[in-house]
Amino acid sequence: MGGVSGHISFSSIISCKSLFSAWKEFKRGKEKKLDVQRFAMALEENIFSLYRELQSGTYKHSAYDSFYVHDPKLRLIHKAEVRDRILHHAIVRAIEPLFESTFIFDSYSSIKGKGTHRAIMQLRAFAKILSVNHTKTVWALQCDIRKFFDSVDHDILITFLQEHIQDRKLLSLLDHIISSIETRPHKGVPLGNLTSQLFSNVYLNPLDHFIKDTLGVKYYIRYADDFIILSRDKVCLHNLIYPIKWFLKEKLTLSLHEKKLSIRKWHQGLDFLGYVSFPHHTILRTKTKKRMLRKIRRRCIEYKNGEIDEHSFNHSIQSYRGLLTHCRGRCIEQQIHAILKTFGL
């Protein structure tokens, strides 16, 4: 799991140049948001103030605004203030390359050039290889880590970060951000922070290498806290469950969601990342379809009310339509067209 180490400094991340660059990246698609507009009204003053606090060691992470979303299950989101989110961007931009070189190829969450679509494509490619072009039965072990973001251990996470970061001030800043919220004593990272997306991959990277390198699993795909292992041997998949549970508990203080643990045949349909994959086709999960159509209606309302600009609106619609290029989606495309027509768009 070796990689580039220690070449990123605290001073380079918190520099005004870095913070202004992070602001440009952060504000894309958010210009209509009131908190972003307020920050932009006194941009230089706000950036310089953030820099001075970081430089002097007086920076304190602001409190979070908490709210629930259905995506599709109920999730508690913690939203940081704009100044904190800009800092998150500056940090991730700088340290992400230190860790990405250590990640396995088939980790697909929050990594540039990856994502759900590529994960599904790889799943189908693996299944096709194992099925010998649909002539052999393929089994899939599907696992979900129980309350992952709420269960991340702060001390373990910092230990993993220390493996590739030596700058003490930077480590202290990362520790401060990690400790800015707790679901339990010394546990939990907030859904909503850009840093949490990177931290989740750093935290689960040892699991990836344990499964791939120690257990010798070839056909393994992970996206955030969901992962799937393919094999022609059902017994082999059963035998992987105990060592995986052991590693999660002993090394990461995590556990599998027992109700979401399953072993099933590919031809029965593999429900993974919003799609249900079969040997000869893929369909969008019903809940995913309903959620997508609900979001499109909401984006139409936001656009009509002037809450988002035309570019952001068009980008959103094209992103949703992009989901349909990876499955049978003609009927859903017709429903999208009907929604847009209703709003005169």
Side-chain angles (χ1 to χ4, degrees):
M1 290 189 287
V4 180
S5 299
H7 298 298
I8 304 299
S9 68
F10 173 79
S11 58
S12 65
I13 290 176
I14 68 148
S15 69
C16 289
K17 179 180 179 181
S18 171
L19 295 176
F20 274 109
S21 181
W23 157 255
K24 290 179 181 179
E25 188 175 282
F26 162 78
K27 71 174 182 175
R28 287 180 196 146
K30 303 184 185 74
E31 286 92 344
K32 297 280 187 176
K33 301 292 184 181
L34 286 177
D35 55 348
V36 176
Q37 290 179 345
R38 291 193 191 102
F39 192 90
M41 287 176 67
L43 178 61
E44 291 190 0
E45 180 183 339
N46 287 327
I47 293 290
F48 287 131
S49 175
L50 177 59
Y51 166 73
R52 286 192 296 269
E53 290 178 28
L54 290 162
Q55 180 67 24
S56 64
T58 60
Y59 168 77
K60 298 294 180 186
H61 198 285
S62 307
Y64 290 88
D65 179 23
S66 301
F67 55 92
Y68 286 94
V69 298
H70 290 270
D71 194 28
K73 59 186 178 183
L74 192 66
R75 294 180 184 272
L76 179 60
I77 303 296
H78 294 90
K79 180 182 175 182
E81 290 190 7
V82 171
R83 67 199 307 269
D84 302 302
R85 285 186 281 160
I86 291 169
L87 177 59
H88 298 167
H89 271 262
I91 290 170
V92 170
R93 288 170 67 248
I95 72 173
E96 197 169 42
L98 298 179
F99 295 94
E100 282 194 349
S101 62
T102 73
F103 297 158
I104 65 167
F105 180 82
D106 289 310
S107 172
Y108 286 88
S109 176
S110 306
I111 297 175
K112 292 175 183 176
K114 297 292 187 72
T116 56
H117 297 159
R118 288 191 177 273
I120 295 299
M121 289 171 60
Q122 185 70 312
L123 171 64
R124 295 189 62 80
F126 280 166
K128 188 174 181 179
I129 291 169
L130 280 167
S131 71
V132 191
N133 203 22
H134 311 301
T135 63
K136 304 288 183 181
T137 299
V138 176
W139 295 88
L141 168 63
Q142 291 187 251
C143 302
D144 180 286
I145 297 173
R146 186 174 182 273
K147 295 183 177 180
F148 169 68
F149 284 93
D150 286 345
S151 303
V152 169
D153 185 285
H154 293 178
D155 293 334
I156 293 174
L157 176 56
I158 283 293
T159 298
F160 292 157
L161 293 171
Q162 286 174 337
E163 292 178 5
H164 298 284
I165 297 172
Q166 279 75 52
D167 189 299
R168 291 186 178 181
K169 285 187 175 181
L170 176 52
L171 284 169
S172 179
L173 176 60
L174 293 174
D175 189 25
H176 178 68
I177 291 172
I178 292 167
S179 303
S180 63
I181 195 167
E182 294 181 337
T183 54
R184 285 175 284 159
H186 308 292
K187 296 257 188 186
V189 291
L191 277 167
N193 276 7
L194 183 65
T195 48
S196 295
Q197 297 176 20
L198 173 60
F199 292 160
S200 68
N201 279 330
V202 171
Y203 200 86
L204 292 176
N205 192 36
L207 172 68
D208 295 340
H209 284 278
F210 174 73
I211 292 175
K212 294 283 291 182
D213 305 334
T214 304
L215 299 182
V217 172
K218 186 174 182 181
Y219 301 105
Y220 165 77
I221 294 170
R222 181 179 64 79
Y223 187 95
D225 53 357
D226 293 324
F227 59 93
I228 189 166
I229 298 172
L230 301 181
S231 175
R232 287 205 296 264
D233 189 339
K234 183 180 180 182
V235 174
C236 175
L237 293 179
H238 268 294
N239 291 338
L240 291 173
I241 295 173
Y242 176 78
I244 290 172
K245 285 183 175 180
W246 172 85
F247 188 89
L248 285 169
K249 179 181 178 182
E250 298 298 324
K251 304 298 182 180
L252 302 176
T253 67
L254 299 172
S255 62
L256 292 180
H257 198 306
E258 293 292 342
K259 291 183 179 180
K260 296 184 179 180
L261 180 66
S262 69
I263 296 179
R264 61 187 289 117
K265 297 175 184 178
W266 182 28
H267 74 253
Q268 293 176 315
L270 301 180
D271 189 337
F272 188 57
L273 306 182
Y275 294 91
V276 183
S277 179
F278 296 89
H280 299 288
H281 69 281
T282 299
I283 61 175
L284 203 60
R285 183 194 295 161
T286 300
K287 287 183 178 179
T288 304
K289 181 188 74 172
K290 290 180 178 178
R291 185 172 73 252
M292 180 183 71
L293 295 175
R294 188 168 58 246
K295 287 183 175 180
I296 288 174
R297 289 189 189 93
R298 186 164 64 240
R299 294 302 271 179
C300 288
I301 293 169
E302 289 173 343
Y303 177 56
K304 282 291 188 177
N305 291 340
E307 296 174 34
I308 57 173
D309 59 26
E310 184 177 2
H311 174 76
S312 297
F313 173 74
N314 288 334
H315 178 74
S316 295
I317 300 303
Q318 289 306 314
S319 296
Y320 294 129
R321 280 177 163 151
L323 290 172
L324 306 181
T325 63
H326 302 274
C327 64
R328 291 181 176 176
R330 182 176 296 177
C331 291
I332 304 173
E333 176 62 45
Q334 291 173 350
Q335 289 176 279
I336 293 174
H337 180 74
I339 292 170
L340 295 176
K341 188 175 181 180
T342 300
F343 285 92
L345 300 170

